[in-house]
Amino acid sequence: MTANIDMSALAVFIFFFVLVTAMGFFASRWRRAESLDHLDEWGLGGRKFGTWITWFLVGGDFYTAYTVIAVPALVYAIGAYGFFALPYTIIVYPLVFAIMPLLWKAAKERGYVTAGDVVRGTYGSRALELAVASTGVIATMPYIALQLIGMEVAIKALGLTGEMPIILAFLVLALYTYSSGLRAPALIAFVKDIMIYIVVLAAIIVVPSKLGGYSAVFSAADAAFEAKGKGGILLDPAQLVPYVTLALGSALAAFMYPHTLTGIFASSGANTIRKNAVLLPAYTLLLGLLALLGYMGHAAGLQLESNNDVVPTLFKTLFPGWFAGFAFSAIAIGALVPAAVMSIGAANLFTRNFWKVWINPEVTPAGEAQVAKITSMLVKVGALLAILMLPTQFALDLQLLGGLWILQTLPALVFGLYTRWFRAPALLAGWAAGFIGGSALVWSDGLKPLHALAFDGITVSVYTGLLALALNVTVAVVVNLVAPAKEIADDDLTVAEAESRS
């Protein structure tokens, strides 16, 4: 189970893990509600999170442990192309500013907890609600598995091997999420994000100073890419279109995920969300600095078994053991926060849009909370088993498809905020076309995110998720034009209209 353990690193890691575990259980008493036996309290923290709590919570589940591992790994592997995550996190916040306050208003006024609730309330369609809710659950599962991969990399860097450490870590996570609900990751997110900021700031100051400065870092990275004949520190002209479409598609998908919507719905007001849209880009700066660690890996001359090892190996090589332990604990805690919120988001979907609709329509609020608690544990167990029993590549492939799938829920979730023109059958047909057509394209391309399009002898690669979304919207428009219209019930009022009346 052990090999080459740095005891000072392990001691620091254990200290912070115990600290956040205690905070996770204490969270049930934080901003205490009369009872957590209600989905609004357990799954949305009472919808009372202010600007700073929302900032840490949304940032905490948006910038995950896998982000800390994967973004520098991608930059290490292919160079500038790996920075597409930066424009993606720049594009996303104006979208949040414009769209999410309307969604929050709908959720608050009508008691919605999930995206499925919003769709049912807007269109009165159980089929469309089921499609959106199902997509949310299956797109979230591989995302949770990726957090386990990030944590696994950090634990392995400590010298701990075998499956027991990660099983124990997620057992603890499951227990305090069950006990405290969304309050647990919201409270832990404060510690997690402060630790990540400290780690990244230390890295961008200390690492270049030990490697001869940033000029030496970029020169070493440029030489490494030139030597292997792949990648570079600047984008190739042929990469511009795929770079832009990946960034745009990822931005449109980002806030369709159940866990990010959970953070939005838990906010105390629409202005809280707008303020966060202004403040959250601070995380984009952090992400840019983090990505530079990929270049630093080349400058440090690291010998890696996997690109995912670049960040842990950099810290083990250039920092004292105690700080490496601090960095690894930050990464591991960075897995706990989003994994908890993701499991809560998936559990809310199952409870509201499956259990209550199809199994027990008379379930009480306390019963809903109990079903959600149990489901959140089962979701985590499922993700853990996927990591322990299936190849890592399986989770990565599913995550690629998950991004495409969740993007197909955008028309059903967002269009109704602005127009009543679309009807449920059209949006359902569009969702099916985008979901199936996009999946088929990804499969035919060998599970790659880009699809090559030829125009007049010129071939460009475009993010497949955007192509699927274009098909989705086209089919929805055509079906809406040809399908007979039905009278829309009063309950189908759009949020925009409701807001204009207030």
Side-chain angles (χ1 to χ4, degrees):
M1 178 176 171
T2 62
N4 303 320
I5 294 179
D6 183 323
M7 296 309 295
S8 61
L10 183 61
V12 172
F13 183 92
I14 291 173
F15 170 80
F16 280 100
F17 199 86
V18 170
L19 173 66
V20 298
T21 299
M23 291 176 68
F25 286 108
F26 170 77
S28 63
R29 301 171 181 270
W30 178 53
R31 303 170 69 89
R32 194 166 190 168
E34 289 185 6
S35 170
L36 288 179
D37 290 333
H38 194 292
L39 206 53
D40 267 16
E41 292 295 342
W42 183 85
L44 293 179
R47 302 181 192 258
K48 293 181 290 195
F49 291 164
T51 300
W52 286 111
I53 297 175
T54 301
W55 188 77
F56 279 105
L57 180 63
V58 174
D61 70 53
F62 202 50
Y63 297 87
T64 67
Y66 191 71
T67 303
V68 175
I69 296 295
V71 171
L74 191 59
V75 171
Y76 178 84
I78 60 176
Y81 196 73
F83 279 86
F84 85 88
L86 263 70
Y88 138 52
T89 57
I90 293 171
I91 295 169
V92 73
Y93 295 118
L95 298 175
V96 170
F97 190 94
I99 296 171
M100 291 302 150
L102 296 179
L103 270 178
W104 178 88
K105 191 174 179 66
K108 179 68 175 178
E109 289 180 348
R110 303 183 183 187
Y112 300 152
V113 177
T114 69
D117 289 351
V118 175
V119 169
R120 183 189 67 239
T122 305
Y123 299 102
S125 168
R126 290 294 190 193
L128 191 58
E129 173 194 9
L130 182 63
V132 169
S134 303
T135 306
V137 172
I138 64 172
T140 302
M141 291 291 288
Y143 218 151
I144 299 174
L146 288 190
Q147 305 318 308
L148 291 173
I149 292 173
M151 175 178 278
E152 198 172 36
V153 171
I155 291 175
K156 179 183 163 189
L158 283 168
L160 298 175
T161 58
E163 297 166 348
M164 191 52 66
I166 198 165
I167 292 174
L168 289 175
F170 264 75
L171 181 62
V172 170
L173 166 69
L175 290 175
Y176 69 61
T177 306
Y178 183 94
S179 169
S180 304
L182 194 63
R183 284 173 170 79
L187 187 58
I188 294 172
F190 284 91
V191 176
K192 172 252 184 186
D193 285 356
I194 290 171
M195 291 177 73
I196 291 287
Y197 271 102
I198 291 173
V199 167
V200 173
L201 290 176
I204 62 167
I205 293 171
V206 174
V207 176
S209 70
K210 292 189 174 184
L211 299 176
Y214 274 98
S215 176
V217 168
F218 285 109
S219 296
D222 194 34
F225 291 127
E226 189 173 341
K228 67 179 181 180
K230 179 183 177 184
I233 61 172
L234 296 176
L235 281 179
D236 185 279
Q239 293 178 316
L240 290 177
V241 173
Y243 185 89
V244 169
T245 56
L246 266 174
L248 179 60
S250 301
L252 292 174
F255 274 82
M256 297 298 106
Y257 278 103
H259 56 283
T260 44
L261 282 175
T262 295
I264 293 296
F265 289 169
S267 302
S268 61
N271 279 334
T272 297
I273 298 167
R274 295 188 184 98
K275 288 176 184 175
N276 266 276
V278 174
L279 296 172
L280 278 168
Y283 281 97
T284 302
L285 175 63
L286 180 74
L287 186 61
L289 299 174
L290 191 64
L292 289 175
L293 297 182
Y295 288 159
M296 294 177 195
H298 286 295
L302 302 181
Q303 300 298 315
L304 306 175
E305 294 181 8
S306 162
N307 293 331
N308 282 344
D309 293 334
V310 63
V311 170
T313 307
L314 204 56
F315 278 94
K316 284 181 72 174
T317 305
L318 299 176
F319 284 87
W322 67 268
F323 193 80
F326 181 82
F328 300 156
S329 56
I331 295 171
I333 295 168
L336 296 178
V337 171
V341 184
M342 289 170 190
S343 67
I344 290 170
N348 289 346
L349 276 170
F350 177 82
T351 304
R352 294 285 294 205
N353 308 118
F354 293 91
W355 187 271
K356 186 171 184 178
V357 173
W358 303 100
I359 298 175
N360 184 8
E362 304 303 322
V363 63
T364 63
E368 281 188 332
Q370 188 62 26
V371 171
K373 290 177 181 179
I374 294 171
T375 305
S376 77
M377 295 192 77
L378 295 177
V379 166
K380 287 192 257 316
V381 170
L384 181 60
L385 290 177
I387 288 298
L388 297 180
M389 301 178 70
L390 298 173
T392 300
Q393 189 60 43
F394 184 74
L396 297 174
D397 292 340
L398 276 183
Q399 169 60 10
L400 164 66
L401 287 166
L404 181 151
W405 293 336
I406 202 69
L407 188 54
Q408 306 316 311
T409 65
L410 187 148
L413 189 59
V414 174
F415 286 3
L417 298 174
Y418 299 97
T419 176
R420 296 178 64 189
W421 187 73
F422 286 97
R423 297 187 300 279
L427 291 168
L428 187 61
W431 168 85
F435 191 99
I436 297 171
S439 301
L441 267 186
V442 169
W443 184 264
S444 67
D445 290 328
L447 292 173
K448 304 294 182 187
L450 301 171
H451 183 75
L453 297 175
F455 298 101
D456 196 23
I458 301 174
T459 301
V460 294
S461 294
V462 177
Y463 174 46
T464 310
L466 275 187
L467 294 176
L469 181 62
L471 175 65
N472 180 339
V473 175
T474 302
V475 170
V477 169
V478 171
V479 173
N480 211 62
L481 287 172
V482 300
K486 292 182 179 179
E487 186 176 350
I488 300 174
D490 290 342
D491 192 43
D492 293 341
L493 285 172
T494 63
V495 178
E497 287 176 323
E499 186 173 56
S500 69
R501 295 187 312 169
S502 64

